[in-house]
Amino acid sequence: MWLTHATVFVLMMCTVYAARDTANVKNSASKEFLHQLLEGMDTRIRPPSKDNGPVVVSVNFHVISFSSINEINMDFKTDIFFRESWTDPRLVYTEGPPSINLPSRFVDQIWTPDLYFPNEKEAKFHDVTMPNRLLKLFPNGTVIYSIRLTLTLSCPMELVSFPLDTQTCGIKIESYAYETHELQLVWRDPSVEIDDELELPQFELVQIQNVTCQKQYKTTGRFPCLKATFMLNRHFGFFLLQTYIPSALIIILSWVSFWINMDAVAARISLVSYPKAIDIWMSMGMLFVFAALLEYAFVNALSRKHAKEEHYKKTDNPQDVTEPNDHNNKQTGADFAENLQHKTTNKVNYREFARNLDKISRYLFPSIFLIFNVIYWPIYASNRV
Ligand SMILES: *[C@@H]1O[C@H](CO)[C@@H](O)[C@H](O)[C@H]1NC(C)=O
Ligand SMILES: *[C@@H]1O[C@H](CO)[C@@H](O)[C@H](O)[C@H]1NC(C)=O
């Protein structure tokens, strides 16, 4: 009985020790594993490849937000997950997990491509709550490295057809030090992912293009480069409501002057000049209003001339006050009647001319405005994609 108890105790102790030993061995094995994997790795030297060819780095990004498209600074802001992937044969392992997620600080212990954004003005890493980075190793030596970045990128904009414009803004990625024979940049499929929740307040994203480029510098050599471009159509609705419709109404309003009495008072005018699409529209609008008022002033001047002649007539012929248009005036002598007849005809001509001018304008102005629209809209709308 005692013996049995002793045996059981000894066996139990053995099991406990054995289990503890196994755990220690496992722990030290994974420690050893990472240590061995990363030890002796010269992070300064790029991954070796067949025939000393270039190391292939595939790149893609996920656009989280796209904002602050700024016409004054000619730039825009974007928040992206920037992902790079390459294979380093020095990181190949045979026994171990199917993939290892390493804390981002390990990035210093492996080789990484020296990519940068040539059109960057400002960039920011995100560190809350921990650095927003991902570093993943695969048994075949493939490394995936992803970082979250907020970039302010320059984007030269052509504003000639503003606000009916299409802007092309891009993200350029280039290797800073590795030339094309040392490092090859390729797009990973899909090259650009757009977040489902992406919102662009002023624009509509109409097209994304991915291109491979090479940059040749005279002093340093030829460097690999990739470029993703975004074609953005400006939302026109806002400008239609804010500017085009009100100014069109003003133009139409100015034509009312052709229908109203010649002696009414004129409105005021101002002129704008700035050769964007919207400015051409505004200038034409002002021009229309100006021409309409000019026409009105002319007609008004003619009617005043008419009034002046009436005054002459009154002084010449004090008896005939009530009926200045009466051609069959019998109260005067033959010579005077002839003279009066001549003056009356002249006066009628002025008035007729003014009236006709108004009549022509009633149709001419709207027609010219219509023609202007027929030319204006296709020209600027054709600039859009
Ligand atoms: C390495 O393995 C990963 C995961 O299985 C795979 O996605 C990747 O394409 C492999 N890389 C190469 C170069 O075969
Ligand atoms: C590049 O863009 C084209 C469409 O313009 C697309 O078909 C192709 O898959 C893209 N390439 C990559 C590597 O994503």
Side-chain angles (χ1 to χ4, degrees), residues 30 37 60 66 92 114 210 219 222 262 273 275 297 300 305 347 351:
S30 60
L37 195 63
N60 87 331
F66 207 100
V92 170
D114 61 341
N210 55 52
T219 16
R222 183 186 286 272
M262 284 179 184
S273 77
N300 204 294
K305 204 174 169 100
K347 172 185 74 195
R351 217 177 158 74

Side-chain angles (χ1 to χ4, degrees), residues 186-192 207-211:
V186 294
W187 282 114
R188 189 187 175 90
D189 205 9
S191 48
V192 181
Q207 205 186 340
I208 303 167
Q209 282 176 335
N210 55 52
V211 289

Side-chain angles (χ1 to χ4, degrees), residues 52-92:
N52 205 24
V55 52
V56 179
V57 177
S58 64
V59 161
N60 87 331
F61 51 84
H62 179 102
V63 181
I64 307 163
S65 79
F66 207 100
S67 61
S68 311
I69 299 164
N70 190 326
E71 289 86 13
I72 294 163
N73 297 335
M74 298 266 175
D75 59 24
F76 69 100
K77 212 170 180 174
T78 183
D79 202 1
I80 58 169
F81 294 139
F82 179 60
R83 299 157 183 157
E84 315 162 45
S85 177
W86 64 95
T87 300
D88 193 335
R90 294 170 294 182
L91 294 172
V92 170

